[in-house]
Amino acid sequence: MSDLLANLNDPQLQAVTLPPQHALILAGAGSGKTRVLTTRIAWLISSGQCDPAAILAVTFTNKAAKEMLARLSTMLPINTRGMWIGTFHGLCNRLLRAHHRDAGLAQLFQILDSADQLAAIKRLLKTLNIDDEKFPPRELQHFINAQKEAGLRPDAVEAWDDYTRRRVELYREYEGQCQRESVVDFAELLLRSYELLERNEPLRRHYQRRFRHILVDEFQDTNRLQYRWLKLLAGGDPPACLFCVGDDDQSIYRFRGAEVGNMRDFEREFHVANVIRLEQNYRSHGNILDAANAIIRHNAGRLGKNLWTEQGAGEPIRVFEAFSDADEARWIVEEVQQLVRDGALRSDIALLYRSNAQSRVLEHALFSAGIPYRVYGGLRFFERQEIKHALAYLRLIANPDDDTAFARVVNFPTRGIGARSIEVLQDAARTYNTSLYATVPHLTGKPGTTLAQFVRLIEDLRRETARLPLPELVDHVLERSGLRDHYKAEKEGRERLENLDELIGAAANFVAESQADPEALAADHALLADFLAHASLEAGEHQAEQGMDAVQLMTVHAAKGLEFDAVFLSGLEEGLFPHENSILEAEGLEEERRLMYVAVTRARKRLYLSFAQSRMLHGQARYNLRSRFLEEIPEPLTRWLTPPKPRGNAATGFGGYYEPPRGAFATRPAAPAVPSRREEGGLHIGQLVSHARFGQGVIVAAEGSGANACVQVNFGASGIKWLKLAVAKLEPC
C-alpha cells in the first residue's frame, strides 16, 4: 500500500485516499490528474473498499482509457480486461450490446462515424427528393446531433417556424431510416443508453447497485446529456460515489456542446464537501505558469486555483512584434532553426495558431526553409478539401483539358449533374479521344444540356479573369464558382471560408515573391500556371514521413493534452485571438481566454508569443490591435523583441515601425497626427463609405499619411476593419 501512494504530493494523496463521498478534483494543467485517477482506482481495490467490477471510469479518448488500463495493470495483480473503463461512447456501446433487445436494437447493430452519418443523411435527402441546397446535409447533421445531445427526440423539439418544422420532420425520417438499417450514430449511443436506463427501472437499479464508485476524467468537457447519464447511474439508494476530475480553466469545447457549468452544478446538486485543488505543475517553468495564472484571472465565475512549480522561473516569455504575417513567419522559422542548431528536436517544437487558415503562411515559410513539418490533427493547407476545390477551378482556367480538375468540380457545388451524366461523358471522351471538357459539345439530351452549362461557366471565368491580377483572379473565381455561397450555407463552414480567403493571401504573397511587374502579370494568365505549380510542390514536398523528426503545427484546440519544450503562438491580434466572433459576448470571450490559457500551458521550457502590425486577408493588408491577452501578462515575465529596421515589404506595403508600448490593448500605436477630415478623396471620420467586399460602413478612426494612410471602418455585420486607402478602394456614399 505504501508503494502505491509513494511520490504523491499532499493534495494528490488527499484526493486518492478520500473517504467514499462525492468529490470534485480541480486538476490544473500538468498537475498529474491521470496519476491521481489511476491511483484512486488502485487504492479503492487494494484497500478492499470495492472489487474491480464495482468501478466505472469514464474518459474522453480511447487513448486515455488505454493508458489508464495499462497503468492499473502495472500497479495491481489483477486482470483489467473486464473493467468498465472507457469513453462515454464506448461504455454506452457496451451497455447497448448487452441489452440490445431492451434498447430496441438488432444484436449486430452497426455504428456510423461522422462521415458515415453524413452519407446517410445525403442518401435520405435524395430518397425524399429534398433540395440539399435548401437543407444542406452537414447543417442537418449538426441539427440532429444537437437535438440528441440535448436529450430531445423529434416530438420534443420546439419548432418556431416552417423551416425548423421541416428539419424536425427530416430528423424523424432519419431516425426511421437508421432503425430500419440497424445503425446508430455517436449521439444516438448516448441518448439511447440514457433512455434505456431511465425507463427500465430493474436494469437501472442493477447498474446502480453494481457501480459503487464512478470516476470521471475531463469533467469540464461533459455536455448536458452526459451529465444526466452520470447522475442517473449515481442515483441509487445508497448513491454511488462520484469522483469528478476536471479543470474549468481548460473548458474549450463549447462549440461541441460542452458545459463548463456542469462542474458548478455538480458541486451544488451533490452537496460536494470535498473540493481538492491540484495546483503543483510538473510540466512548465515558473514564468510560463505565472503568465497563465495572470491571464485566466480575468475570467469571472471561476472555481479558482493557482498553478506553481518547484522548477524555478526559467526563461522570460519572448514577445515579438512583426511588420507583417510573412515577417512573423520568417522570424518563427529563424528561431526554430536556432533551437535545432542548439540541439533541440524538431518534434519538441510546436507552432500553434487560433485558426486553421493561419497555417498557410507558416507552412510556406517552413517549406521555403526546407524544414520538415507535420500538421497535427488536420490537413496541410493545400490538401484541405475547400482549397483543392478552388485549385481545381483555377486549373481549368489555366488548362480546360485537365480531366482530374474537371471531374472534381463539375458537380461541386451541386448543379444537377449526376453520376450517369458523367459516365456518358467519359464514354464519349474515349470514343472521340478528347478531354472531358472538349467532349461536352458532342453530347445531346439532358447530359449535354447540364454539362454545357458548366462549360459556359468555365469559359466565362477564363474570359472574365484574363486581365486580372492573380489575387483578384482567385477572389473572382471563389465568388463566381459558387464555392463561397456553398460554404456560407454550411453550419460549420466558417473555417473553410477562412481558408478560401487565405488562398487569396497565398496568391498575393506569391506575386510579391515573384518580383514581377504587376501590370505585365495582369495581361493574361501567365502567372496562374506558375502559382498552381507552386501549390502542388508545396503540397507534395517536405511532408514529414512517419517517424521523421518534424516541427509540429496545430490549432490550439488540437494541442490540448499535449506538451512541448518550445511553443510558438502566433497571430495574437484582436479579431484573430481572441476571435472576432467571440469578442462581443462575455461567454465567448471567456472561452477564448481559456483557450489562451491552454496554449500557454503547453510549453515546458520556452514560450514565444508573436503578432503582426499587418496581416493579409482577402489579398489586402488588414491592420489589427494586438491581443488583449498580451496586456494581461505582467511585464516582468516577458522580453519584448524589437524587429530590425523595416524593409519595404511588397506583400503588405507596410513601411513604418513603432516601438511596442505597454498599455491598454484598445489603443493604437503612436501615429502621425491626422486631421478629422481628409482632403484626399473627400474622406473623413464619420464618413459613410462603401467597400466591394464588406459593404457599407462608417469611418471611425484614421492614421498615417500619404501612401501609408489607413482608416478604421465599422462595417456592421462584417466587423471593424483597418484598411489602407491606397489599396482598399473605398467609395464615398
Side-chain angles (χ1 to χ4, degrees), residues 338-353:
Q338 185 59 53
L339 287 172
V340 173
R341 282 194 293 269
D342 291 343
L345 291 174
R346 285 189 286 266
S347 56
D348 281 335
I349 302 171
L351 277 52
L352 308 186
Y353 35 83

Side-chain angles (χ1 to χ4, degrees), residues 100-366:
H100 62 90
R101 288 192 184 87
D102 292 321
L105 290 170
Q107 182 176 6
L108 299 178
F109 70 85
Q110 298 300 304
I111 299 172
L112 300 177
D113 62 19
S114 183
D116 292 336
Q117 184 190 25
L118 184 61
I121 290 172
K122 290 178 178 178
R123 182 160 44 84
L124 174 71
L125 294 176
K126 187 174 183 180
T127 300
L128 298 176
N129 198 26
I130 301 294
D131 184 356
D132 63 3
E133 292 188 1
K134 186 174 181 181
F135 294 94
R138 196 174 296 278
E139 184 176 329
L140 184 58
Q141 179 186 33
H142 179 85
F143 173 79
I144 290 172
N145 289 341
Q147 306 316 308
K148 290 187 177 187
E149 287 167 3
L152 301 176
R153 292 296 184 188
D155 291 342
V157 179
E158 293 187 19
W160 300 101
D161 52 44
D162 290 340
Y163 183 70
T164 305
R165 273 191 289 274
R166 188 62 178 129
R167 288 200 296 180
V168 172
E169 291 171 7
L170 291 173
Y171 176 16
R172 185 178 291 107
E173 293 285 351
Y174 168 76
E175 281 204 321
Q177 174 179 287
C178 289
Q179 191 67 27
R180 289 191 301 273
E181 297 174 1
S182 296
V183 295
V184 297
D185 54 51
F186 281 161
E188 182 71 19
L189 283 171
L190 186 66
L191 179 54
R192 192 166 296 217
S193 173
Y194 174 80
E195 291 172 338
L196 171 64
L197 293 171
E198 185 182 44
R199 72 169 180 267
N200 192 321
E201 185 178 356
L203 194 65
R204 181 175 70 250
R205 286 185 175 177
H206 165 75
Y207 283 105
Q208 287 174 338
R209 284 194 299 267
R210 173 174 178 171
F211 297 128
R212 305 311 306 145
H213 290 271
I214 300 175
L215 301 93
V216 189
D217 191 12
E218 303 286 7
F219 189 58
Q220 77 280 351
D221 292 334
T222 53
N223 62 33
R224 297 308 294 180
L225 184 58
Q226 288 165 340
Y227 180 45
R228 287 166 60 190
W229 186 84
L230 290 167
K231 289 199 295 183
L232 201 61
L233 282 170
D237 186 16
C241 298
L242 269 171
F243 185 91
C244 298
V245 181
D247 183 1
D248 56 327
D249 291 334
Q250 294 189 76
S251 180
I252 59 173
Y253 296 120
R254 190 165 64 110
F255 65 96
R256 293 183 188 169
E259 286 279 354
V260 66
N262 285 347
M263 299 185 78
R264 195 168 288 281
D265 289 347
F266 168 60
E267 185 180 5
R268 184 186 69 255
E269 293 173 6
F270 285 80
H271 309 289
V272 177
N274 297 305
V275 177
I276 296 175
R277 290 166 170 79
L278 305 183
E279 298 174 304
Q280 183 174 357
N281 179 282
Y282 294 91
R283 174 190 300 158
S284 307
H285 286 158
N287 284 337
I288 295 170
L289 298 180
D290 289 346
N293 290 330
I295 291 167
I296 203 64
R297 202 172 289 129
H298 287 77
N299 273 3
R302 298 172 57 230
L303 293 169
K305 64 184 177 311
N306 199 64
L307 298 178
W308 62 276
T309 182
E310 293 180 342
Q311 298 186 68
E315 300 183 27
I317 297 166
R318 292 163 173 82
V319 183
F320 181 75
E321 178 180 26
F323 305 119
S324 69
D325 51 350
D327 288 324
E328 178 187 42
R330 280 192 289 271
W331 172 77
I332 289 173
V333 166
E334 289 169 1
E335 291 291 321
V336 167
Q337 289 172 320
Q338 185 59 53
L339 287 172
V340 173
R341 282 194 293 269
D342 291 343
L345 291 174
R346 285 189 286 266
S347 56
D348 281 335
I349 302 171
L351 277 52
L352 308 186
Y353 35 83
R354 172 63 180 85
S355 170
N356 262 314
Q358 293 173 251
S359 78
R360 199 276 310 167
V361 68
L362 295 171
E363 289 186 56
H364 177 67
L366 291 165

Side-chain angles (χ1 to χ4, degrees), residues 266-509:
F266 168 60
E267 185 180 5
R268 184 186 69 255
E269 293 173 6
F270 285 80
H271 309 289
V272 177
N274 297 305
V275 177
I276 296 175
R277 290 166 170 79
L278 305 183
E279 298 174 304
Q280 183 174 357
N281 179 282
Y282 294 91
R283 174 190 300 158
S284 307
H285 286 158
N287 284 337
I288 295 170
L289 298 180
D290 289 346
N293 290 330
I295 291 167
I296 203 64
R297 202 172 289 129
H298 287 77
N299 273 3
R302 298 172 57 230
L303 293 169
K305 64 184 177 311
N306 199 64
L307 298 178
W308 62 276
T309 182
E310 293 180 342
Q311 298 186 68
E315 300 183 27
I317 297 166
R318 292 163 173 82
V319 183
F320 181 75
E321 178 180 26
F323 305 119
S324 69
D325 51 350
D327 288 324
E328 178 187 42
R330 280 192 289 271
W331 172 77
I332 289 173
V333 166
E334 289 169 1
E335 291 291 321
V336 167
Q337 289 172 320
Q338 185 59 53
L339 287 172
V340 173
R341 282 194 293 269
D342 291 343
L345 291 174
R346 285 189 286 266
S347 56
D348 281 335
I349 302 171
L351 277 52
L352 308 186
Y353 35 83
R354 172 63 180 85
S355 170
N356 262 314
Q358 293 173 251
S359 78
R360 199 276 310 167
V361 68
L362 295 171
E363 289 186 56
H364 177 67
L366 291 165
F367 166 81
S368 300
I371 298 175
Y373 66 90
R374 182 178 293 106
V375 178
Y376 181 92
L379 296 172
R380 290 144 60 97
F381 181 78
F382 285 112
E383 295 172 345
R384 292 167 191 164
Q385 180 206 74
E386 60 277 12
I387 299 302
K388 292 175 78 70
H389 286 327
L391 292 175
Y393 278 104
L394 295 173
R395 285 164 56 186
L396 287 174
I397 291 173
N399 174 22
D401 295 324
D402 186 332
D403 281 358
T404 302
F406 186 99
R408 184 177 188 91
V409 295
V410 65
N411 195 40
F412 192 92
T414 54
R415 47 179 63 91
I417 300 174
R420 179 57 188 156
S421 295
I422 302 299
E423 289 175 9
V424 171
L425 178 63
Q426 291 170 334
D427 291 342
R430 283 191 290 270
T431 300
Y432 290 104
N433 195 29
T434 54
S435 68
L436 297 176
Y437 188 93
T439 305
V440 171
H442 296 289
L443 298 186
T444 59
K446 183 180 178 182
T449 302
T450 54
L451 286 163
Q453 292 173 350
F454 175 69
V455 166
R456 280 196 295 274
L457 171 64
I458 300 303
E459 290 174 348
D460 288 346
L461 285 173
R462 299 191 78 209
R463 184 184 67 257
E464 293 162 1
T465 61
R467 302 192 64 81
L468 289 180
L470 185 61
E472 293 182 29
L473 183 157
V474 175
D475 191 12
H476 185 78
V477 168
L478 295 178
E479 200 66 41
R480 283 277 277 118
S481 65
L483 286 175
R484 273 210 181 97
D485 287 340
H486 172 80
Y487 289 117
K488 281 178 184 175
E490 284 196 351
K491 184 73 175 180
E492 299 177 353
R494 177 179 56 79
E495 191 170 278
R496 296 191 187 276
L497 287 170
E498 289 178 353
N499 285 332
L500 290 177
D501 287 337
E502 185 59 30
L503 184 63
I504 304 171
N509 186 67

Side-chain angles (χ1 to χ4, degrees), residues 648-670:
N649 190 313
T652 65
F654 198 92
Y657 169 71
Y658 55 89
E659 201 63 34
R662 298 285 297 182
F665 78 90
T667 60
R668 288 290 295 173

Side-chain angles (χ1 to χ4, degrees), residues 32-92:
K33 70 177 179 64
T34 304
R35 175 195 290 183
V36 167
L37 267 169
T38 310
T39 310
R40 170 71 173 178
I41 295 173
W43 183 77
L44 287 171
I45 296 170
S46 61
S47 62
Q49 296 186 54
C50 68
D51 61 43
I55 289 173
L56 176 73
V58 189
T59 69
F60 265 82
T61 66
N62 288 314
K63 179 182 177 183
K66 289 177 181 177
E67 181 182 352
M68 194 176 294
L69 287 167
R71 289 195 187 189
L72 278 172
S73 296
T74 62
M75 298 169 78
L76 296 174
I78 61 171
N79 183 357
T80 61
R81 185 179 297 274
M83 293 185 70
W84 282 63
I85 297 177
T87 64
F88 277 103
H89 293 122
L91 295 172
C92 287

